[in-house]
Amino acid sequence: MSNPIPHVSNWINGAYTTATAQTIPVLNPATETPIATIDSTPPETVHQIISDSVRTFHDGPWSQTEASDRFAVLSTAARLLRARLPEFITLETRQTGRPIREMQTQLARVPEWLEYFASLARVHEGRVTPFHGPVVNTLTRLPVGVVAQITPYNHPLLIATKKIAAALAAGNVVIVKPSELGPLSVLQLGPLFQEAGLPDGVLQIVCGYGSETGRVLCASPLLGKIDLTGGLATYRAIAPVAAGNMVPVTAELGGKAPVCLFASVEVERAVQAALFAGFIASGQTCVTGSRLLVHGGIYEQFRDLLVKRVGALRMGDPMDLNTQIGTVISRAAVERCEGFVDRAVQEGGRLLCGGRSMTGPGGKGFFFQPTIIEAASDSYLACHEVFGPVLALIRCESEEQIVSVANSTPFALGASVWTNDFTQAHRVAAQIDAGIVWINGHHLNDPSSPWGGFKESGMGKENGLEAYESYTKVKSTLINYGVAPTWFDDGVTNARYG
Ligand code: NAD
């Protein structure tokens, strides 16, 4: 008899709860077999979790702690996570289908987010403003309350930790709803934070479908903030209700990152850049370099070498250290990739390599070949997010054209500029409308570096002081040591108003 699939329940008020009546299977995308089930949390339970969380916030076991205590808990959580990385890496690989080599490298840095925001909590200072007259004006930052964090499947642990670390550092109570497609590593954070000393009920992890559990959570007027990483459609579902409730939203949404490759770059390096930008995570990152804008001066050489290198990429079992390309997340994602390829070809695009779904070792799995399509800059492929390994290769004849194409989609998240011409690097970077521009790099990331897009790529930032402060509200306190309240007294000249 085969082992039953484990069920991992919500982590609420410091314990895994009883399983909900309805559950959701979590598949290993490389084998299509369920590896666990999770809760499908109904509305009444979501409401109860929110009201428990509001009480915990007001009771103050975390919101009223000293900065030094928050520093200690987050630093300890970082140490515990670092010690447990092997188990997190295995779990992340199994639930996302991403190669274990990627998960080893990505997860090794995740504790840095906890350390960074622990440090920020400890050193962040208020201000005293210049104020007219004998008045001292202090500005202090307070936590915003109970925050909902809605996270995606592509970097489950990294993105949840980024958000959780910033919110906890600022003293908030967090309700995180991970993606139903990859929730398992996030669910392991509950006991880890408890062991680190976080009071029960300060980190709540609730699972379910976005359109059900996530929708109910985000519709609550009791929230202090919503922080979403996901697609534009999800933002559009959440934002009107949040606006009505006057709940602020940070939105980290999709992208169509241009990789701008100029003729001064060695062709080998240009191809290395394109491979990394385009195919890390099978193209399932918000900053996937999904548009290769290549200057005519190197175009043919670049294209030929790129096609050769793509053909040699090793796709296969994500648990194999030798594997370079894993799966996409689901059958729906495979079908989306197929749809993009078909439409690009119908529109006159030229399929240079890839383009087909594949299966893994057991004839199963949601694999899609790394794909390059020569396409027009205004084609559907070049203007819409695939979130898969299907790249548009676009020939450009001038710097002006590269800049113009780079800025031609509704997205504005990440962009990279590759050139050996120092002045061109600065000139082009300055003209690109994107929240993050890398010069001679792509997808470089650090907890201290603000991350977020413009236009339809979202608003607000993760990382850095910006993220920390977005989890606070500013309180202005005015201490009067000399302005007499004589306004309505007769015979007083120069009474002060304002
Ligand atoms: P998604 O929008 O489908 O889901 C994201 C989360 O939102 C999930 O937890 C989901 O359950 C939840 N959700 C869905 N509908 C909801 C609703 N009506 N109310 C509340 N919650 C709801 O996105 P995904 O497919 O998981 O991730 C891919 C998208 O995320 C891409 O567009 C990608 O570019 C974007 N992304 C952006 C960044 C960034 O930093 N800007 C990073 C990673 C991913």
Side-chain angles (χ1 to χ4, degrees):
M1 203 177 93
S2 60
N3 287 333
I5 304 157
H7 180 81
V8 189
S9 294
N10 291 339
W11 175 266
I12 304 297
N13 300 334
Y16 288 113
T17 51
T18 309
T20 51
Q22 305 292 322
T23 62
I24 301 171
V26 180
L27 301 187
N28 178 337
T31 61
E32 301 181 37
T33 50
I35 48 178
T37 54
I38 54 164
D39 287 347
S40 177
T41 311
E44 58 278 16
T45 308
V46 175
H47 294 310
Q48 183 61 50
I49 292 167
I50 296 170
S51 58
D52 287 357
S53 303
V54 169
R55 197 179 52 249
T56 301
F57 181 78
H58 289 299
D59 286 351
W62 185 249
S63 57
Q64 291 167 28
T65 47
E66 302 284 342
S68 54
D69 294 336
R70 282 181 263 139
F71 169 83
V73 169
L74 290 171
S75 310
T76 307
R79 185 171 50 72
L80 293 174
L81 179 56
R82 202 166 263 123
R84 285 174 205 168
L85 279 177
E87 62 196 78
F88 276 93
I89 289 164
T90 304
L91 192 55
E92 201 80 324
T93 306
R94 290 179 73 217
Q95 69 174 352
T96 62
R98 293 184 52 187
I100 193 161
R101 182 167 161 251
E102 284 182 15
M103 298 330 306
Q104 283 175 339
T105 310
Q106 180 178 81
L107 266 55
R109 293 203 57 206
V110 173
E112 289 179 41
W113 268 264
L114 295 163
E115 289 162 343
Y116 173 78
F117 284 106
S119 310
L120 214 45
R122 187 68 186 88
V123 303
H124 195 274
E125 295 174 356
R127 279 162 52 208
V128 176
T129 69
F131 202 97
H132 182 74
V135 178
V136 177
N137 181 190
T138 62
L139 303 188
T140 43
R141 286 190 177 267
L142 307 173
V144 295
V146 176
V147 301
Q149 301 183 332
I150 309 293
T151 61
Y153 67 78
N154 60 332
H155 314 296
L157 191 69
L158 171 68
I159 291 179
T161 306
K162 277 173 158 187
K163 294 186 192 298
I164 290 169
L168 290 182
N172 298 285
V173 168
V174 173
I175 305 176
V176 57
K177 197 213 78 68
S179 169
E180 59 274 27
L181 297 169
L184 301 176
S185 52
V186 178
L187 281 162
Q188 298 301 317
L189 289 178
L192 185 146
F193 271 99
Q194 186 177 57
E195 193 179 332
L198 189 71
D200 291 347
V202 174
L203 174 62
Q204 315 272 49
I205 307 170
V206 56
C207 288
Y209 292 112
S211 57
E212 297 173 7
T213 305
R215 183 180 55 76
V216 173
L217 174 61
C218 292
S220 173
L222 302 178
L223 300 175
K225 174 182 165 85
I226 296 169
D227 189 343
L228 160 72
T229 296
L232 182 61
T234 303
Y235 170 75
R236 287 192 166 138
I238 290 173
V241 184
N245 291 332
M246 296 190 71
V247 174
V249 180
T250 289
E252 302 289 346
L253 309 177
K256 195 72 199 175
V259 183
C260 306
L261 296 158
F262 288 95
S264 60
V265 181
E266 305 74 16
V267 171
E268 290 74 18
R269 200 159 68 96
V271 169
Q272 288 170 328
L275 290 174
F276 172 71
F279 295 129
I280 194 88
S282 284
Q284 299 166 110
T285 89
C286 50
V287 293
T288 291
S290 51
R291 293 184 296 156
L292 308 176
L293 313 187
V294 185
H295 193 275
I298 53 168
Y299 187 82
E300 277 81 15
Q301 292 164 279
F302 172 87
R303 182 189 59 198
D304 295 348
L305 185 57
L306 178 67
V307 168
K308 191 168 154 213
R309 289 283 316 261
V310 171
L313 292 175
R314 293 183 297 276
M315 187 164 72
D317 179 3
M319 293 302 289
D320 183 342
L321 261 176
N322 230 5
T323 293
Q324 294 175 309
I325 304 285
T327 66
V328 290
I329 194 69
S330 62
R331 182 161 309 286
V334 169
E335 288 166 2
R336 193 174 62 244
C337 293
E338 286 171 339
F340 266 96
V341 172
D342 290 348
R343 183 158 178 177
V345 171
Q346 275 161 23
E347 287 184 1
R350 189 167 151 233
L351 180 64
L352 299 180
C353 58
R356 290 196 304 128
S357 63
M358 304 286 285
T359 51
K364 295 271 188 187
F366 307 129
F367 292 87
F368 199 85
Q369 292 176 320
T371 301
I372 308 283
I373 300 177
E374 252 177 350
S377 62
D378 59 354
S379 61
Y380 186 81
L381 173 64
C383 299
H384 294 81
E385 186 179 45
V386 181
F387 220 61
V390 182
L391 312 189
L393 174 61
I394 299 166
R395 181 184 177 121
C396 296
E397 299 305 337
S398 66
E399 180 183 304
E400 292 68 31
Q401 191 186 359
I402 287 183
V403 170
S404 154
V405 174
N407 289 337
S408 66
T409 76
F411 299 105
L413 180 55
S416 61
V417 179
W418 297 80
T419 174
N420 286 328
D421 178 341
F422 175 79
T423 54
Q424 180 178 53
H426 284 278
R427 194 169 57 235
V428 172
Q431 292 176 80
I432 289 185
D433 188 17
I436 312 161
V437 179
W438 296 279
I439 295 175
N440 292 333
H442 197 100
H443 207 156
L444 299 164
N445 191 11
D446 193 274
S448 65
S449 173
W451 177 281
F454 305 147
K455 293 160 59 178
E456 289 187 5
S457 289
M459 55 191 170
K461 300 289 178 197
E462 279 179 342
N463 296 352
L465 199 53
E466 283 74 4
Y468 177 82
E469 292 188 345
S470 77
Y471 274 102
T472 65
K473 54 190 179 191
V474 178
K475 183 167 184 178
S476 193
T477 305
L478 298 122
I479 306 143
N480 171 21
Y481 62 95
V483 181
T486 54
W487 183 263
F488 285 108
D489 292 2
D490 291 331
V492 176
T493 54
N494 298 331
R496 180 163 168 182
Y497 161 50

